[in-house]
Amino acid sequence: MKVNHWSLPNGATCVVANMEDSTLTCIDFWCKGGSNYEKRNEEGMAHFLEHMIFKGSKNLKEGEFDLKIESLGGSSNAATGLDDVHYHVLVPPENIEEALNLLLELLLFPEIEQGAFEMEKEVVLEEISQYIDQPDEIIYMKLLKECCSPHRYSRPILGDEQTVKNIIPKQMKQFHKNHYVGKNCTLCVAGILPKEISSIINNSKLSKLEAIKDKKNLNKQITFNKGYKKESIPRLEGGRILKAWRLPPAKENLLILGAEIAATMLCEGRSSLIVKKLREEKRIIESIEIDLQILEEGGLIILDACCPLENLEIAEIEINKILTYSNKYIFDSKDLERAKKLVINNIYFGIELSNQIASNIGNQALWGRNESIEESIKEISYWTSKRLNKLIFPLFNPENAFTLIAEPENQI
């Protein structure tokens, strides 16, 4: 797969990947306009703007974009994250140019009309209401609030009811104007591409993005607070143990790969250390997983274990014992190779489709992390058991964690 990068005079980054066997081509637009860029009292703005962008532009009535994309045999979607937001369409290769023009028209010239704004605000508020009513989401947000405050990463992407209620169209238009500009945006196209794809992009509405100086670097490394807390959660079934540790920022790809290998050795599959000891042998937990939340200013390693309420105390003790033990234990080559193979497989599973490729390389290009997938896989070979012990397993030290113990509300 050949990948080409270039920049337009206004600073917008372009990247294309030719996938000869792809059925559909993906056009993916990325912007440094996630919730981390919201100012005080703007919480929820980035996500709300994502909604409003689909409500129409200067030249597209509400609903017209979706109808036209569907008539091309395509589909569209979007997602707002802590660091960035992206919008993508999947279309048959012969319709790339028309789909690109439609997407850019929608993204660069949103109408944000008062009537549609007020109606969509109710949709967003209902989404917030549903979100804060889910036990899993309550636990997760309590964990982030405790371990990341006062950093913006500690607050929900959706914002809260009050801040969203107070947002007005003028504010949103200014947020769009401030962030949807040349240096902050990347366009990625992956799939079967026409020979003139560079010319199509260069002459598209992407060139109309305003050219400004580099976006001011927030330069706010993630706040991380160690600690311990117990919480009672409405409608929670059973007990939960959550632990969070600081993870290096996304640009530290080698260390993140090491953390993925270590997490796999600890928690992925029946033969992994914690699963084997605590679920298969002692049977004191029901499930456990370790997830890496990879973020630009520093991410999180999050362990999440479920167990019967009566096993909560012993499960926490045993998890801490194993994590402490893993700092000293040298895993054998069989365990290491199993973990490496699973990590490599996950990488390959994540790049099978054009939208997965576009998401991967589009996000990398946005943040200047243009490391090829092949390079990432090669870097996995760097990790030996001794290097993991020296550089990675100390990240999982229980003493450096924030621990949240969650119990059903009626049991407290």
Side-chain angles (χ1 to χ4, degrees), residues 160-184:
D160 60 55
E161 184 177 328
Q162 195 57 52
T163 57
V164 170
K165 279 184 176 179
N166 290 338
I167 293 173
I168 60 175
K170 183 179 179 181
Q171 279 180 290
M172 184 172 286
K173 290 176 182 178
Q174 189 62 49
F175 185 88
H176 180 274
K177 182 179 180 181
N178 290 345
H179 299 291
Y180 286 65
V181 292
K183 284 282 188 180
N184 301 343

Side-chain angles (χ1 to χ4, degrees), residues 86-114:
H86 76 120
Y87 307 79
H88 72 265
V89 295
L90 276 167
V91 291
E94 62 271 19
N95 295 326
I96 290 174
E97 187 168 6
E98 187 173 353
L100 176 61
N101 288 334
L102 286 168
L103 181 63
L104 292 176
E105 167 64 30
L106 199 71
L107 288 169
L108 307 188
F109 311 104
E111 185 67 17
I112 311 182
E113 186 272 328
Q114 181 73 45

Side-chain angles (χ1 to χ4, degrees), residues 99-244:
L100 176 61
N101 288 334
L102 286 168
L103 181 63
L104 292 176
E105 167 64 30
L106 199 71
L107 288 169
L108 307 188
F109 311 104
E111 185 67 17
I112 311 182
E113 186 272 328
Q114 181 73 45
F117 182 89
E118 295 302 331
M119 290 182 65
E120 198 62 24
K121 181 182 285 190
E122 294 304 313
V123 174
V124 173
L125 289 171
E126 177 60 26
E127 196 173 338
I128 292 171
S129 178
Q130 292 177 4
Y131 178 82
I132 62 176
D133 197 44
Q134 301 299 316
D136 282 351
E137 303 298 346
I138 294 171
I139 293 170
Y140 179 68
M141 288 314 307
K142 284 182 179 292
L143 179 70
L144 289 189
K145 183 178 180 180
E146 292 293 340
C147 69
C148 295
S149 292
H151 195 282
R152 181 62 185 88
Y153 287 168
S154 69
R155 300 193 292 278
I157 292 169
L158 299 185
D160 60 55
E161 184 177 328
Q162 195 57 52
T163 57
V164 170
K165 279 184 176 179
N166 290 338
I167 293 173
I168 60 175
K170 183 179 179 181
Q171 279 180 290
M172 184 172 286
K173 290 176 182 178
Q174 189 62 49
F175 185 88
H176 180 274
K177 182 179 180 181
N178 290 345
H179 299 291
Y180 286 65
V181 292
K183 284 282 188 180
N184 301 343
C185 297
T186 292
L187 180 73
C188 179
V189 185
I192 297 176
L193 307 177
K195 292 181 179 179
E196 65 276 16
I197 184 63
S198 298
S199 177
I200 290 172
I201 293 173
N202 291 344
N203 292 299
S204 72
K205 293 176 181 179
L206 189 65
S207 63
K208 297 185 182 298
L209 275 172
E210 184 180 353
I212 62 165
K213 295 180 180 180
D214 287 341
K215 190 178 187 71
K216 185 178 179 181
N217 189 350
L218 296 182
N219 195 26
K220 296 179 181 177
Q221 285 198 342
I222 188 171
T223 308
F224 187 82
N225 310 305
K226 295 185 281 187
Y228 187 94
K229 192 170 186 180
K230 287 189 176 182
E231 289 277 2
S232 58
I233 307 295
R235 296 175 306 284
L236 182 65
E237 296 182 3
R240 293 281 285 279
I241 301 165
L242 282 87
K243 290 182 177 292

